[in-house]
Amino acid sequence: QVQLVESGGGLVQAGGSLRLSCTASGIKSNINYMGWHRQSPGNRRTFVASIHDGGDTNYAAAVRGRSLISRVSANDTVFLQMNSLKPEDSAVYYCYMSIRQRDGSPFTYWGQGTQVTVSS
């Protein structure tokens, strides 16, 4: 059974930093991407950052320049370092993992989410 377990969320003051981590287990397929989305109350889930198996990274404009995504392939763990946090960064952050199935079709797994709250 595939599981994504997130950690590192919490309460931080504006201008502070947090490091989120997400470890995948039970993987039996090739991983294409790992990354993060976030969702705040009343809003839809939106993309934050991703890292391709080859190392290419992508960031949402809202966090670009303040965040760094990295991955340790050996244990299928992805990290999101967020700096200069703003109150508008407050949200539940969801880890995701996109794999390539045996038939070549993609499939995405999601974690349960970790709360990030930035106080002003």
Side-chain angles (χ1 to χ4, degrees), residues 68-111:
L68 179 67
I69 189 169
S70 58
R71 179 185 166 194
V72 177
S73 299
N75 57 3
D76 292 325
T77 298
V78 63
F79 302 96
L80 181 66
Q81 176 70 40
M82 298 189 295
N83 304 315
S84 302
L85 284 163
K86 306 174 184 179
E88 51 264 43
D89 292 318
S90 298
V92 177
Y93 284 70
Y94 295 92
C95 173
Y96 75 94
M97 177 179 65
S98 177
I99 68 166
R100 183 170 60 251
Q101 300 182 100
R102 288 185 178 182
D103 63 2
S105 62
F107 188 84
T108 301
Y109 294 95
W110 293 91

Side-chain angles (χ1 to χ4, degrees), residues 26-85:
I27 305 303
K28 297 181 179 180
S29 302
N30 294 328
I31 299 174
N32 279 340
Y33 292 91
M34 293 188 75
W36 299 86
H37 283 220
R38 67 186 181 185
Q39 186 172 20
S40 56
N43 295 309
R44 63 183 177 87
R45 192 176 297 189
T46 58
F47 171 79
V48 177
S50 67
I51 183 165
H52 186 262
D53 187 51
D56 291 341
T57 58
N58 193 22
Y59 297 92
V63 303
R64 190 176 298 124
R66 301 187 292 122
S67 300
L68 179 67
I69 189 169
S70 58
R71 179 185 166 194
V72 177
S73 299
N75 57 3
D76 292 325
T77 298
V78 63
F79 302 96
L80 181 66
Q81 176 70 40
M82 298 189 295
N83 304 315
S84 302
L85 284 163

